[in-house]
Amino acid sequence: VQLQASGGGLVQAGGSLRLTCAASRRTSSNNAMGWFRQAPGKEREFVGRINWNGSTYYADSVKGRFTISRDNAENTVYLQMNSLKPEDTAVYRCAIGLRPYAGSEPVDYRYWGQGTLVTVSS
């Protein structure tokens, strides 16, 4: 399975971006999908996840600003990011969970995309 994240770019603080994660084949619909990010010099950080039934969970740092959705027919997951802040600058990666419900740790996920860079200027 290959995952391709896209939609990153440069945006001013307060702006919005929508990231897309496309899976190469239909393996993700019965599994949770997660988003992680890694800023320069920092550890990988959990952003949020969407379970197989559509329920979502977000890190406190993005709650109320980010929204994850999925289109199982298209094997695609989206990350809508609003009210972006400079501290949101990072490479964002999507991943397929090991099970229908996944946790917030990288070990809960099996397949990983390459990532897309989001840069938020102040």
Side-chain angles (χ1 to χ4, degrees):
V1 177
Q2 291 184 329
L3 296 175
Q4 181 64 50
S6 61
L10 174 64
V11 63
Q12 289 187 332
S16 298
L17 281 175
R18 188 176 82 154
L19 305 185
T20 299
C21 175
S24 60
R25 58 186 174 95
R26 196 179 182 86
T27 60
S28 61
S29 61
N30 294 325
N31 294 73
M33 296 286 292
W35 285 96
F36 289 76
R37 65 186 182 185
Q38 188 166 16
K42 295 187 177 181
E43 294 187 354
R44 184 167 38 185
E45 175 188 22
F46 171 78
V47 175
R49 68 175 181 267
I50 183 165
N51 295 316
W52 75 275
N53 63 352
S55 61
T56 54
Y57 180 83
Y58 300 95
D60 288 342
S61 58
V62 306
K63 198 174 297 182
R65 300 187 297 122
F66 290 11
T67 302
I68 298 174
S69 59
R70 66 191 299 167
D71 183 341
N72 289 335
E74 297 294 329
N75 301 328
T76 302
V77 174
Y78 304 97
L79 177 63
Q80 178 66 44
M81 305 185 295
N82 299 328
S83 303
L84 283 162
K85 305 175 181 180
E87 50 263 44
D88 294 319
T89 294
V91 173
Y92 285 72
R93 300 177 69 186
C94 58
I96 298 176
L98 291 169
R99 290 171 289 276
Y101 293 92
S104 305
E105 298 296 327
V107 295
D108 296 322
Y109 298 83
R110 178 167 57 178
Y111 299 109
W112 291 81
Q114 294 250 345
T116 184
L117 176 62
V118 172
T119 303
V120 185
S121 62
S122 58

